[in-house]
């Protein structure tokens, strides 16, 4: 409850602002408050009245329904019109007259300032002393005045300045975020631009490769024409041979009939038959057909005699220890990675598919897609011997352990053995139905293994000249094959993304290794034989523990395919020939990858020298590059 006293209106206004209440109107003047008197607060105790004694006031019924019995159409229409008028009045917006802003008085300004600053003790002191002066009449409300507009405007400007600072901070954050988005977009643009350039380069490369393939296949037409002519000539010779055979059969049947009639005793007049003695038969002239038949029979007799005399080779049971174990222990020098391009030998007209080093001499052999293999002397790169004989591209080659023979595999589905002292082919193995990708010698020198596009691998006996065993198990092309050093164990890598370990004596698959996500192009053992390295068509190279048959590490050097991998003699450095033309050198101790840039096109093969001082690589441009 509030009682009237000599308290001014300004004190009440200060109290209202401190309590957050609007007890008086803003437009009351100080003179009106002085005339009415001052106000002060007084504590009043209110007792609760019982509900039984309270008298409730009757509330009028606002229901405008028409009582029963007094229905009248005119009254009902009038009532509905009145309700519609009331609704329209309520829907109209009431526009109040604008109120002129009244400047704030000084005491209100000071109180609001102290409240805003949180100075409550100062506010209490100010109010107590101010109200005391007003009650004593020392201070008159008329002389108080108002706060100048400048201060109010300053406060408004200060608030507006704070709001603008907040907006500025928000805009700065938005600008920083937009700058980050712009940088991210620029990086993505640059990445996509580089990706587009790479795609264009690959497209141009594929177009060039397609043109080369068209020219390559166009060269088959003359060979096919020659083969057709040979086929027709052989057919003619076959027909002549069959005619002579029929004539001889007729003569024999006539002689048999004559002898039969003579034995029975019939009088049979026949033409004189002149019996030629053996000496005259030998001296009588032979026709070309009879001569060819006689030579063929003699050759067949000789072959059957040789095959009957030769026996199948036996797989060795007591294998000698791997000599590379001792070499690796002796080779304790630091691994070499600082290879530099030393020389370029242009040896083939088409891509180089394989490079191997002679086991004892400074000689290497290269195979190319131009159907040739070449024996090259080092370090000058002079060609010592060239091998002709395959009718399609060469895929791989391998030296005999003694170094005096060479095995080559080709796209013509054959494996050929060559005598390097004479340079001629001494044996051809035929049995695969598609191209042969790889070949390898057994350490005893009596067996050759080959892998083919027909999803099989074969083991050939050099002495009996036949296939001893066919390895079935892969579901796609078998791209690489290699004997474990000084053992009867074979390693194959296939396009079905798996590696397989085989027993060459039984032809059984002992273990399969899975982990690659793409076709495996090559796999090889370390010189010590405790580790396997493999690479696939996406550039991923994996190392496997051969003793535990578990993966060790996977290195992604893609996206260009890895065509071949090879260890150095110490087994501490792994080289990979990449489809991008880069030779990658992996340090197995530290895990670092070193790159050799020098090939202008795809690199197909790479191999270390025996002492590790040189490295040789072959590319799709038909060149062999030496690094030292």
């Amino acid at each position: 409850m509030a009682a009237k006293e000599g308290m001014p209106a300004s004190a009440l206004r200060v109290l209202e602002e401190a309590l957050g209440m609007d007890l008086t109107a803003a437009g009351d003047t100080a003179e009106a408050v002085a005339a009415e008197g001052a106000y002060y607060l007084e504590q009043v105790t209110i007792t609760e009245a019982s509900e039984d004694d309270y008298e409730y006031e009757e509330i009028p019924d606002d229901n405008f329904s028409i009582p029963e019995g007094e229905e009248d159409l005119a009254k009902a229409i009038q009532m509905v019109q009145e309700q519609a008028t009331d609704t329209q009045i309520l829907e109209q917006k009431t526009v109040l007259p604008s109120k002129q802003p009244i400047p704030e008085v000084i005491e209100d300004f000071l109180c609001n300032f102290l409240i805003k600053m949180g100075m409550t003790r100062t506010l209490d002191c100010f109010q107590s002393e101010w109200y005391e002066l007003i009650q004593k009449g020392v201070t008159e409300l008329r002389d108080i005045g108002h706060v100048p507009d400048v201060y109010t405007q300053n406060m408004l400007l200060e608030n507006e300045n704070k709001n603008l600072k907040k907006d500025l901070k928000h805009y700065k954050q938005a600008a920083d975020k937009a700058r980050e988005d712009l940088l991210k977009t620029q990086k993505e643009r640059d990445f996509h631009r580089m990706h587009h350039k790479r795609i264009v380069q690959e497209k141009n490369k594929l177009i060039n490769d397609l043109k080369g393939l068209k020219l390559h296949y166009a060269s088959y037409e003359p060979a096919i024409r020659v083969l057709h002519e040979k086929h027709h000539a052989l057919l003619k010779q076959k027909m002549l041979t069959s005619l002579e055979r029929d004539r001889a059969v007729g003569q024999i049947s006539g002689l048999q009939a004559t002898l039969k009639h003579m034995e029975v005793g019939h009088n049979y007049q026949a033409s004189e038959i002149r019996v030629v003695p053996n000496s005259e038969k030998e001296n009588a002239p032979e026709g070309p057909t009879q001569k060819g038949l006689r030579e063929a029979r003699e050759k067949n007799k000789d072959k059957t005699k040789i095959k009957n005399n030769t026996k199948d080779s036996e797989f060795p049971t007591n294998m000698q220890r791997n000599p590379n174990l001792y070499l690796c222990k002796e080779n304790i020098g630091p691994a070499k990675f600082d290879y530099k391009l030393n020389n370029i030998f242009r040896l083939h007209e088409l891509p180089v598919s394989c490079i191997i080093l002679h086991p004892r001499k400074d000689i290497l052999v290269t195979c190319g897609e131009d159907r040739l293999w070449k024996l090259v002397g080092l370090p000058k790169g002079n060609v010592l011997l060239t091998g002709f004989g395959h009718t399609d591209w060469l895929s791989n080659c391998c030296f005999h352990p003694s170094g005096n023979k060479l095995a080559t595999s080709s796209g013509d589905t054959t494996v050929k053995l060559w005598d390097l002292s004479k340079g001629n082919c001494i044996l051809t193995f035929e049995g695969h139905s598609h191209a042969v990708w790889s070949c390898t010698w057994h350490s005893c020198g009596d067996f050759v293994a080959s892998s083919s596009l027909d999803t099989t691998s074969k083991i050939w006996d050099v002495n009996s000249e036949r296939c001893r065993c066919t390895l079935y198990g892969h579901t796609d092309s078998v791209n690489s094959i290699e004997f474990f050093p000084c053992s009867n164990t074979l390693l194959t890598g296939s396009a079905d993304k798996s590696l397989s370990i085989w027993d060459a004596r039984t032809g059984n698959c002992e273990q399969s290794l899975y982990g690659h996500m793409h076709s495996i192009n090559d796999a090889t053992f370390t010189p010590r034989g405790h580790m396997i390295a493999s690479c696939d068509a996406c550039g991923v190279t994996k190392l496997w523990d051969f003793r535990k048959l578990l993966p060790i590490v996977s290195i992604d050097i893609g996206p260009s395919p890895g065509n071949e991998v090879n260890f150095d003699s110490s087994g501490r450095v792994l080289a990979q020939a990449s489809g991008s033309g880069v030779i990658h050198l992996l340090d197995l101790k530290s895990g670092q990858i070193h790159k050799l840039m020098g090939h202008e096109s795809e690199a197909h093969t790479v191999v270390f020298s025996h002492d590790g001082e040189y490295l040789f690589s072959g590319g799709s441009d038909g060149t062999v590059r030496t690094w030292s």
Side-chain angles (χ1 to χ4, degrees):
M1 299 293 292
K4 292 184 180 180
E5 286 293 335
M7 184 179 292
S10 60
L12 182 61
R13 191 180 300 111
V14 172
L15 182 61
E16 291 172 359
E17 292 180 358
L19 297 176
M21 301 171 57
D22 188 10
L23 299 177
T24 60
D28 293 342
T29 58
E31 290 81 5
V33 174
E36 293 178 1
Y39 294 88
Y40 64 95
L41 296 177
E42 181 179 350
Q43 184 176 2
V44 177
T45 304
I46 301 175
T47 60
E48 292 184 354
S50 64
E51 295 182 357
D52 297 333
D53 299 336
Y54 188 82
E55 296 181 0
Y56 293 92
E57 188 179 9
E58 184 178 358
I59 300 174
D61 189 9
D62 293 336
N63 189 5
F64 295 100
S65 61
I66 300 173
E68 296 182 359
E70 297 181 6
E71 292 88 350
D72 190 356
L73 181 62
K75 288 183 180 180
I77 292 172
Q78 182 180 1
M79 188 175 297
V80 169
Q81 288 178 354
E82 289 176 358
Q83 290 180 358
T85 304
D86 295 337
T87 303
Q88 291 178 359
I89 293 172
L90 292 173
E91 290 177 354
Q92 291 178 357
K93 294 182 179 180
T94 304
V95 180
L96 297 176
S98 60
K99 191 173 182 180
Q100 294 295 332
I102 299 175
E104 191 175 16
V105 294
I106 292 177
E107 63 269 23
D108 293 344
F109 175 78
L110 294 174
C111 290
N112 290 335
F113 175 76
L114 295 175
I115 292 171
K116 183 177 179 181
M117 299 303 294
M119 302 169 65
T120 54
R121 291 180 294 176
T122 307
L123 176 64
D124 295 339
C125 295
F126 171 74
Q127 287 181 346
S128 60
E129 188 174 0
W130 177 261
Y131 294 150
E132 183 179 356
L133 292 174
I134 291 176
Q135 288 179 357
K136 290 180 180 180
V138 177
T139 303
E140 295 184 2
L141 296 176
R142 296 179 181 179
D143 300 334
I144 293 173
H146 302 283
V147 179
D149 294 339
V150 176
Y151 301 113
T152 306
Q153 191 68 21
N154 287 339
M155 291 182 67
L156 294 175
L157 290 176
E158 185 179 357
N159 293 331
E160 186 176 359
N161 189 17
K162 289 182 179 180
N163 294 331
L164 289 175
K165 285 182 179 179
K166 290 181 180 179
D167 294 341
L168 179 61
K169 184 178 180 181
H170 176 70
Y171 292 146
K172 283 183 178 179
Q173 293 176 354
D176 294 337
K177 186 177 180 181
R179 189 181 296 106
E180 292 177 358
D181 294 339
L182 178 62
L183 293 174
K184 183 178 179 181
T185 306
Q186 288 177 349
K187 290 180 180 179
E188 290 180 354
R189 180 200 63 189
D190 297 337
F191 172 76
H192 289 299
R193 185 177 295 170
M194 292 176 62
H195 182 67
H196 175 70
K197 290 181 179 179
R198 185 172 61 84
I199 293 297
V200 171
Q201 291 176 358
E202 292 180 356
K203 175 186 173 184
N204 296 332
K205 182 181 177 182
L206 289 175
I207 291 173
N208 294 329
D209 293 343
L210 184 60
K211 291 179 180 178
L213 288 175
K214 287 182 179 178
L215 295 175
H216 183 61
Y217 285 117
S219 63
Y220 288 153
E221 294 181 358
I224 293 173
R225 194 178 302 113
V226 172
L227 290 176
H228 277 298
E229 293 176 357
K230 290 182 178 180
H231 178 65
H232 290 304
L234 291 174
L235 287 177
K236 291 179 182 179
Q237 189 175 356
K238 180 182 178 183
M239 290 177 64
L240 293 174
T241 306
S242 61
L243 289 173
E244 292 183 0
R245 183 196 63 186
D246 295 339
R247 188 181 304 163
V249 170
Q251 290 178 0
I252 293 171
S253 61
L255 290 172
Q256 289 177 351
T258 303
L259 291 174
K260 186 177 182 181
H261 285 295
M262 289 175 66
E263 289 176 358
V264 175
H266 293 283
N267 294 326
Y268 183 81
Q269 294 181 357
S271 58
E272 292 184 0
I273 299 174
R274 181 170 177 264
V275 180
V276 181
N278 292 332
S279 60
E280 293 184 6
K281 283 184 180 180
E282 292 176 0
N283 297 327
E286 278 186 325
T289 306
Q290 287 82 358
K291 186 177 180 181
L293 289 172
R294 181 175 56 78
E295 292 176 354
R297 291 192 192 98
E298 292 177 355
K299 288 182 179 180
N300 289 329
K301 289 180 181 179
D302 295 338
K303 285 185 178 179
T304 53
K305 288 180 181 179
I306 293 172
K307 288 185 178 179
N308 292 330
N309 293 331
T310 57
K311 295 182 180 180
D312 290 336
S313 303
E314 296 293 336
F315 283 97
T317 55
N318 298 324
M319 300 294 295
Q320 62 177 352
R321 298 188 66 179
N322 186 2
N324 293 319
L325 294 174
Y326 306 103
L327 293 176
C328 295
K329 291 179 180 179
E330 293 174 1
N331 189 2
I332 58 175
K336 182 176 180 180
F337 299 99
D338 54 346
Y339 290 97
K340 294 183 180 179
L341 185 60
N342 186 18
N343 207 342
I344 300 176
F345 303 139
R346 185 167 297 277
L347 301 175
H348 295 272
E349 296 179 358
L350 292 177
V352 178
S353 56
C354 177
I355 299 175
I356 59 169
L357 290 174
H358 194 278
R360 296 177 182 84
K361 300 178 182 179
D362 291 335
I363 295 174
L364 61 83
V365 172
T366 64
C367 295
E369 295 185 10
D370 54 1
R371 312 177 188 178
L372 305 176
W373 60 267
K374 295 186 178 183
L375 191 68
V376 182
L378 297 175
K380 296 182 179 180
N382 52 322
V383 178
L384 305 177
L385 188 62
T386 301
F388 303 87
H390 283 288
T391 59
D392 210 335
W393 43 268
L394 272 71
S395 58
N396 199 2
C397 60
C398 184
F399 271 113
H400 188 275
S402 64
N404 56 4
K405 294 178 184 177
L406 182 73
T408 58
S409 58
S410 170
D412 60 8
T413 72
T414 65
V415 176
K416 290 182 180 290
L417 304 184
W418 307 81
D419 186 355
L420 295 181
S421 61
K422 299 178 181 179
N424 56 347
C425 178
I426 57 176
L427 189 57
T428 300
F429 293 121
E430 297 178 353
H432 286 290
S433 58
H434 290 85
V436 183
W437 286 119
S438 181
C439 62
T440 180
W441 280 94
H442 192 281
S443 57
C444 68
D446 294 331
F447 300 96
V448 174
S450 61
S451 62
S452 171
L453 181 63
D454 59 9
T455 72
T456 67
S457 301
K458 291 182 181 292
I459 300 174
W460 309 90
D461 192 330
V462 177
N463 295 322
S464 61
E465 302 178 5
R466 73 183 187 92
C467 176
R468 287 286 298 273
C469 184
T470 301
L471 310 180
Y472 298 96
H474 286 292
T475 59
D476 207 337
S477 171
V478 186
N479 296 330
S480 72
I481 189 167
E482 183 176 331
F483 271 107
F484 183 81
C486 301
S487 75
N488 298 318
T489 303
L490 268 173
L491 170 67
T492 58
S494 172
D496 62 6
K497 310 170 189 175
S498 69
L499 297 170
S500 293
I501 311 297
W502 307 80
D503 188 344
R505 296 168 294 184
T506 61
N508 295 330
C509 179
E510 302 296 337
Q511 185 73 30
S512 293
L513 304 177
Y514 300 95
H516 280 280
M517 303 301 293
H518 303 277
S519 170
I520 298 176
N521 289 339
D522 189 35
T524 185
F525 290 102
T526 57
R528 295 176 58 190
H530 67 289
M531 195 185 302
I532 298 172
S534 59
C535 62
D536 63 21
C538 240
V540 176
T541 298
K542 287 183 175 291
L543 297 177
W544 310 78
D545 189 338
F546 182 61
R547 293 167 294 188
K548 299 180 181 179
L549 296 177
L550 293 174
I552 299 175
V553 69
S554 179
I555 306 106
D556 189 356
I557 321 179
S560 300
N563 294 324
E564 187 176 292
V565 286
N566 261 315
F567 289 95
D568 68 343
S569 58
S570 66
R572 293 180 295 174
V573 182
L574 178 67
Q576 183 213 54
S578 173
S580 62
V582 180
I583 305 297
H584 297 95
L585 300 179
L586 174 63
D587 186 355
L588 300 184
K589 186 176 181 181
S590 65
Q592 294 182 353
I593 298 176
H594 305 266
K595 296 182 180 181
L596 302 181
M597 314 288 288
H599 281 278
E600 298 176 356
S601 57
E602 187 174 359
H604 285 173
T605 178
V606 62
V607 64
F608 287 94
S609 62
H610 298 304
D611 57 1
E613 293 297 324
Y614 292 90
L615 186 140
F616 305 93
S617 60
S620 60
D621 55 357
T623 62
V624 173
R625 298 170 189 260
T626 63
W627 309 77
S628 62

